[in-house]
Amino acid sequence: MKRVLVDANVLLDVLTDDPQWYSWSAGQLDACAAETELCINPIIYAEVSVGFERIEELDDALPPETFTRLELPWEAGFLAGKIFLQYRRTQGSRSSPLPDFYIGAHAAIEGLALLTRDAKRYRTYFPKLELIRP
């Protein structure tokens, strides 16, 4: 299996003991960790950070030896912009690219699978992306 980019919603499910999604998210994290490398990027890190007061607490929750920290490729930034333009032309009202566009573009550019429970937007804008989802 390829490396897996772990979406913030999966991490937050586990870190907050979400009553609806904890079991699925924790199970998928364990299964993926047994088979492949778990990865995050600065966008995912930022999304998860809102639940922490100090960076040291966040780093303890997302240790680098468990979650490989990948830089966002410049090509992913370009692709995220193109996807945002598509979004705006079809129905979108946001004035700047959504975090999911950067995350999806990163996975697409680097050939990563994406572990997420919010597959609709990724499926819409990145139809060839390998998703691990409910």
Side-chain angles (χ1 to χ4, degrees), residues 10-38:
V10 172
L11 295 169
L12 289 169
D13 290 344
V14 173
L15 293 171
T16 64
D17 292 321
D18 183 272
Q20 182 178 353
W21 288 104
Y22 174 86
S23 293
W24 184 86
S25 293
Q28 290 300 315
L29 275 174
D30 287 344
C32 288
E35 299 289 326
T36 190
E37 182 180 1
L38 301 175

Side-chain angles (χ1 to χ4, degrees), residues 14-102:
V14 173
L15 293 171
T16 64
D17 292 321
D18 183 272
Q20 182 178 353
W21 288 104
Y22 174 86
S23 293
W24 184 86
S25 293
Q28 290 300 315
L29 275 174
D30 287 344
C32 288
E35 299 289 326
T36 190
E37 182 180 1
L38 301 175
C39 303
I40 59 174
N41 66 24
I43 306 293
I44 295 163
Y45 187 87
E47 288 185 314
V48 175
S49 75
V50 299
F52 294 86
E53 292 294 319
R54 299 175 51 240
I55 194 169
E56 294 84 4
E57 295 169 356
L58 177 58
D59 288 342
D60 286 344
L62 300 176
E65 58 273 9
T66 303
F67 297 97
T68 300
R69 295 176 181 193
L70 303 176
E71 296 299 321
L72 189 67
W74 289 98
E75 298 84 356
F78 182 83
L79 179 56
K82 295 304 174 196
I83 295 298
F84 174 68
L85 184 60
Q86 179 184 345
Y87 160 83
R88 286 292 304 235
R89 287 181 176 155
T90 58
Q91 47 105 25
S93 60
R94 302 283 178 129
S95 60
S96 61
L98 302 171
D100 288 352
F101 293 163
Y102 291 104

